[in-house]
Amino acid sequence: MMVKWNYLNWEEMVERAITFFKKIGHGQKVVLMHHGDCDGVVSALYIAETVKEIRGRYPDEILWVSTKSYKLKNEKALIDHLAPDVLLVTDLDLGKEPETLKHWADVIDNVFIYDHHNIDGSYKDAIPRSIEYLNARMLGIPRIWHPAAYFGYSLFKHFSKNDYPWLAALGLRGDHAFDEYEELKNEIRDKFPELLKEIENEDYKNLLEKLVYFVNAGFFHNPNGEDNISFKVLQKAMKKNDYTFVYSNEEEAASLFSKRQELKSDIEKIYDGAKDEAKIYEDIPLLVYRINTPHYILGVIASRLKDDHPDKIIYIFNQFDDEISGEIRQGEKIDVNLIKLLLGIGENFKYISVGGHPRAAGCLFPASKYDEYLRLLEGRIHEFI
């Protein structure tokens, strides 16, 4: 098997995945690892159910990864300990970790990865031939990246009569891509019109957005990679085929509500503080704000501030232990490829990890390097603008 790059279309890519999954044996130890946000959770649910359809039981272990631990130190050690026959990975940007991929290729017989983050030609050499690596950006179609939730949805439809379209819509909305899928959107309008009905006097616009907020609460709330509450709640909602379970008072769902309320309070406090504490540059279109919270809400704060500052690049930082996490966004009047901006800084700066998309990206680096990083950021933006 070799890494295929020039796919004719999305269907060919999905067929390659189907071929891989059909070979999973009943007696093999299967480990599934996924990103912990809404897109990653939905993708993992579809993949877990696909494995169950094929061999009659779920993956033996399901691990989730929080963005703040994106270097995967603990997760990689756990995978080594579990010694799976099959490793399934979804929604994690691993093309930039050739040593990890090489190690997995050496010690695990069957490795499958679906990702949708930015890639370039260097990935061809970074990905071992024995690993089945799929990424919609391999299609080379502008503005097509097919979030992990859409991959899971496309895969699962081949193995089950009920494809749970509301679940796919949830994952796509979580990755800000729902409007790009008109066929699915029309199906939601027809079968679940209440999900798109506008809601007033709430911080979400409709029920679909409310679902995203609740599922992401399990990811953003003091993430430690141990309590996969969003997956557990959404899995029960899937089994019931009832999305309202996610925000009900039943069982684990009540925990999501509690996390959501605490996050909402913290977000409002930090957002209000930005009015006085954020640094707004005069010579470059940049707003920088360093916050202090145990929750991973940098992206939420950045997204809200970009709406208030449409002519600025918004960069929010928070320290976790001895590392700084950063999330970067841009207002609607700014047109900068943010992942290229961060990778450009990386030419003179060593990240712990960096990844994302042209309009939303993030990174992790040592806290001791914060002032140095800001200087490089300022200089790089001068070059870009």
Side-chain angles (χ1 to χ4, degrees), residues 237-304:
M238 188 179 186
K239 287 180 177 179
K240 296 172 180 287
N241 199 12
D242 179 10
Y243 61 80
T244 65
F245 178 79
V246 173
Y247 50 83
S248 70
N249 291 322
E250 298 183 45
E251 303 173 35
E252 292 101 332
S255 174
L256 273 187
F257 177 81
S258 176
K259 292 176 187 290
R260 159 73 177 147
Q261 292 302 104
E262 187 176 335
L263 283 172
K264 185 176 179 181
S265 174
D266 205 30
I267 288 168
E268 291 302 322
K269 181 177 67 175
I270 293 172
Y271 173 70
D272 288 342
K275 298 172 184 176
D276 299 319
E277 300 169 11
K279 180 178 180 179
I280 301 177
Y281 291 72
E282 296 182 359
D283 55 337
I284 52 176
L286 176 65
L287 180 153
V288 170
Y289 187 28
R290 183 169 175 174
I291 67 177
N292 181 25
T293 174
H295 309 306
Y296 200 91
I297 53 177
L298 293 86
V300 177
I301 301 297
S303 294
R304 288 190 62 172

